[in-house]
Amino acid sequence: MVTRSGDVMVLRRNRLTIPWWVSLLGVLARWVGRAAWWFLRRPRTVAVVVGAVWVRSEFGWSGLLTPVVLGLAASAVWRWRHPASWWLWCGGPVLGWWRQIVVYRRAWREAMTLCGLAKTFDHRPVVPGLLSVRCDEALDIVTIRMLRGQSPSEFQKVTEKLAYAFGRRHGRVYAERLEDPPNRSGRYAWAWRLVDRVRFRDRPTVVYLVLVRTDALRSIVAPFPAPEVPDFTALPLARREDLRIWCLHLLATHVLIGGATRRGKGSVLWSLVRALSGGIASGLVRLWVIDPKGGMEFAMGRPLFARFASESFEAMADLLDEAVAVMRERQQRLAGVVRVHTPTSADPLVVVVIDEMAALTAYLQDGDLKKRIANSLGLLLSQGAGVGVLVVAALQDPRKEVLPFRDLFPTRIALGLTEDSQVDMVLGDGARARGARADQMPRWAKGVGYVILDGTPDPLRVRFSFITDDHIREMAGTHPAPVEAADILAQVGRETAPEPRRPSPRPRSKPLLPKALLDALDPHQRRDGETE
């Protein structure tokens, strides 16, 4: 439409006039569409509400309250008799639905925006989607749909902010589902496998935010029962945040334990010894222990150990050299037969336990002895796992100059550390950004740490069992290492036996002067073949 005002010509759009009743129908249609979409996304909620309304209209309030009371009673009995299945099928889903509505959805847009995860598209703000909340006894597992162009690393960088945004102290972000699919067996296993194929499918568009609702690691963990025949792929050592037991896969791996003083490294080492104690007594495992602190940590359990060195650094070097000799002998014998050693009583698993490893690799004054120890450790860490000669080492300072071969430890455990940079030194680059806050451990958290397994980048927070002196004396009395053995591992030291002190294997240096000149200078020198 053209409008003239003197010499000025104004162009205006033609306005489309819509009747008021058409606008009202459009608004109603939009509301109905949103309500229908809400109902489709929440079928369980709709079913419960519709069922409750129908029962109320047909049978009155008594008909509605009676099944509720009976259901609560049955739920209480179920939780009393079998709490694990109750949390999986009843308590967890109901609590997750409640917390999704009351806690997370109410503050979701604000939390995503202030944590820097909201984006702008087509001049409109968009936030990651809240798909579901799943609860167990201690954790909230929030499934989040990422926006296009986002990656899990963006969520992992703001893990701490997300935890505090929802009123929690501890949280982590996982790119994949936490648990593995269960092993199904029985008549209807094929049907369950089809369900698991959908439940555990790969979903690269979502991340899982795990928040600790109730810190189950505040209480001290009692020692776990020691199996008579240890399973080297699942040794029970610690309690997880979800109250399940964390088991160490020790077979064909080396373990590095990093932690500041009085942070619970002894709990980790003695928990491992206790888990192996059944195999020690039967001859399936041999523990070779190095304690540079003069035996202050391990002397109490000396009957458990096949070899023990605590006073002489030369004896410690000899122990490592003999471990290398065992490794070489097994390599020659098993080459072309198997790729991974299987422990037996005749060919046991050798575990070299080293406390305060920095005393051998950095603080030792004898340069030649330190180089000899470093060479032996390098060979054991690079070649010993496959033939059953394993290294479990603990240290306080994880710097590269203190432990130059820390990357050769596939399994790593970080207890309380003093600096944030040390977390990545122990667990690997990016571990702290993924939620391993080992430098922020409170004072009560002795024996609490983060574990990372080979091939699994996501850290897991656990608390190791507390082993008292009485437990150690009991193990030493009931599971001593056998004295009789027919191979190189038969050197069992007892508390009354001195440490082995062998001469250095280095060749004796030759004299600087020739022998004829030495004889001329020393007239009393006896010649070959002379007798007194």
Side-chain angles (χ1 to χ4, degrees):
M1 186 176 71
V2 179
T3 303
R4 292 183 177 272
S5 177
D7 295 335
V8 179
M9 184 175 61
V10 179
L11 299 178
R12 296 178 179 177
R13 291 183 179 180
N14 292 326
R15 292 182 178 180
L16 179 63
T17 303
I18 300 176
W20 65 269
W21 58 271
V22 176
S23 300
L24 180 60
L25 289 178
V27 173
L28 292 176
R30 184 172 60 181
W31 287 354
V32 171
R34 288 183 177 180
W37 178 243
W38 190 90
F39 289 142
L40 289 176
R41 290 180 59 188
R42 298 165 177 82
R44 290 179 296 182
T45 303
V46 174
V48 171
V49 173
V50 171
V53 172
W54 179 80
V55 172
R56 166 68 178 82
S57 62
E58 290 292 331
F59 304 100
W61 286 107
S62 60
L64 181 62
L65 294 178
T66 300
V68 172
V69 173
L70 294 178
L72 292 176
S75 176
V77 175
W78 185 4
R79 183 180 182 182
W80 172 50
R81 299 298 299 176
H82 202 280
S85 63
W86 182 85
W87 275 105
L88 179 62
W89 297 105
C90 181
V94 172
L95 182 60
W97 169 78
W98 174 258
R99 291 184 62 82
Q100 180 178 353
I101 296 175
V102 176
V103 177
Y104 294 100
R105 190 171 298 280
R106 181 175 58 86
W108 186 255
R109 179 173 292 273
E110 179 185 1
M112 293 296 106
T113 303
L114 296 180
C115 291
L117 296 174
K119 305 294 181 180
T120 301
F121 175 72
D122 196 15
H123 305 288
R124 293 182 303 173
V126 289
V127 298
L130 173 61
L131 298 183
S132 64
V133 178
R134 184 162 49 95
C135 298
D136 58 19
E137 296 181 70
L139 305 179
D140 288 352
I141 303 175
V142 184
T143 305
I144 306 173
R145 179 187 285 117
M146 296 182 292
L147 301 175
R148 293 186 182 275
Q150 284 185 328
S151 64
S153 61
E154 297 182 44
F155 288 81
Q156 291 170 349
K157 291 178 182 178
V158 295
T159 300
E160 187 177 10
K161 294 181 180 180
L162 289 172
Y164 279 92
F166 294 109
R168 304 293 108 186
R169 290 188 179 274
H170 306 287
R172 278 176 304 284
V173 173
Y174 295 91
E176 299 179 357
R177 194 180 176 99
L178 277 69
E179 63 272 14
D180 297 327
N183 296 323
R184 302 295 187 181
S185 60
R187 180 181 300 178
Y188 302 103
W190 61 273
W192 284 110
R193 293 193 189 100
L194 294 177
V195 175
D196 293 338
R197 190 174 298 178
V198 176
R199 290 177 57 205
F200 295 91
R201 68 186 184 277
D202 184 26
R203 304 178 67 184
T205 60
V206 304
V207 292
Y208 302 93
L209 172 64
V210 178
L211 300 177
V212 180
R213 186 180 69 256
T214 302
D215 196 351
L217 305 184
R218 277 189 169 271
S219 58
I220 295 177
V221 179
F224 299 101
E228 292 297 329
V229 180
D231 182 2
F232 299 114
T233 62
L235 297 173
L237 299 187
R239 179 190 294 165
R240 297 172 29 163
E241 288 176 327
D242 55 3
L243 296 179
R244 290 190 289 177
I245 297 176
W246 179 74
C247 298
L248 171 66
H249 186 116
L250 183 63
L251 195 64
T253 189
H254 304 292
V255 183
L256 176 64
I257 306 164
T261 181
R262 295 191 176 276
R263 285 297 183 175
K265 294 189 296 295
S267 296
V268 184
L269 295 173
W270 281 112
S271 296
L272 177 60
V273 173
R274 181 178 179 86
L276 295 173
S277 59
I280 293 174
S282 62
L284 196 62
V285 184
R286 302 286 188 185
L287 292 184
W288 292 15
V289 177
I290 296 177
D291 188 355
K293 295 186 296 185
M296 290 300 298
E297 181 65 39
F298 284 102
M300 189 175 297
R302 190 166 183 177
L304 294 162
F305 311 137
R307 294 291 308 279
F308 184 77
S310 62
E311 298 177 1
S312 170
F313 285 101
E314 187 173 345
M316 301 175 192
D318 291 340
L319 188 150
L320 294 174
D321 289 341
E322 293 184 11
V324 173
V326 174
M327 180 189 72
R328 292 298 191 196
E329 186 273 334
R330 288 185 177 179
Q331 287 176 338
Q332 297 176 2
R333 178 163 44 88
L334 301 178
V337 181
V338 295
R339 292 191 300 170
V340 178
H341 170 264
T342 301
T344 61
S345 298
D347 202 13
L349 181 72
V350 180
V351 182
V352 181
V353 180
I354 306 175
D355 189 24
E356 298 299 343
M357 193 173 186
L360 304 180
T361 59
Y363 308 145
L364 186 59
Q365 298 297 324
D366 191 335
D368 294 337
L369 198 59
K370 181 174 22 177
K371 183 178 180 180
R372 178 182 161 197
I373 290 174
N375 292 336
S376 298
L377 284 174
L379 291 173
L380 291 175
L381 292 172
S382 59
Q383 305 176 26
V387 294
V389 182
L390 312 179
V391 177
V392 178
L395 79 167
Q396 298 184 28
D397 189 354
R399 290 176 299 170
K400 197 71 174 180
E401 54 269 22
V402 175
L403 187 61
F405 27 72
R406 67 180 182 219
D407 294 334
L408 297 178
F409 288 90
T411 303
R412 306 181 187 185
I413 301 172
L415 302 172
L417 297 169
T418 56
E419 301 177 6
D420 54 357
S421 60
Q422 293 180 350
V423 180
D424 291 344
M425 292 180 187
V426 176
L427 299 180
D429 293 338
R432 191 179 186 277
R434 293 190 295 271
R437 306 288 175 173
D439 58 307
Q440 298 180 358
M441 289 288 187
R443 294 182 178 180
W444 59 264
K446 295 181 179 180
V448 179
Y450 294 88
V451 297
I452 281 189
L453 304 181
D454 187 19
T456 305
D458 299 320
L460 180 66
R461 184 167 170 262
V462 299
R463 182 164 191 170
F464 293 88
S465 60
F466 179 62
I467 309 296
T468 64
D469 294 349
D470 294 335
H471 292 135
I472 297 174
R473 295 188 184 95
E474 180 184 358
M475 285 190 296
T478 57
H479 298 87
V483 180
E484 298 82 8
D487 56 356
I488 192 175
L489 309 178
Q491 305 168 23
V492 181
R494 287 291 177 254
E495 293 181 346
T496 56
E499 286 191 357
R501 299 181 181 273
R502 300 176 179 82
S504 175
R506 292 175 293 176
R508 184 178 299 175
S509 59
K510 296 182 180 180
L512 299 178
L513 299 178
K515 185 175 184 301
L517 183 58
L518 290 175
D519 294 342
L521 294 176
D522 187 6
H524 300 288
Q525 178 74 22
R526 295 194 302 270
R527 303 188 182 277
D528 296 338
E530 292 182 357
T531 59
E532 294 183 0

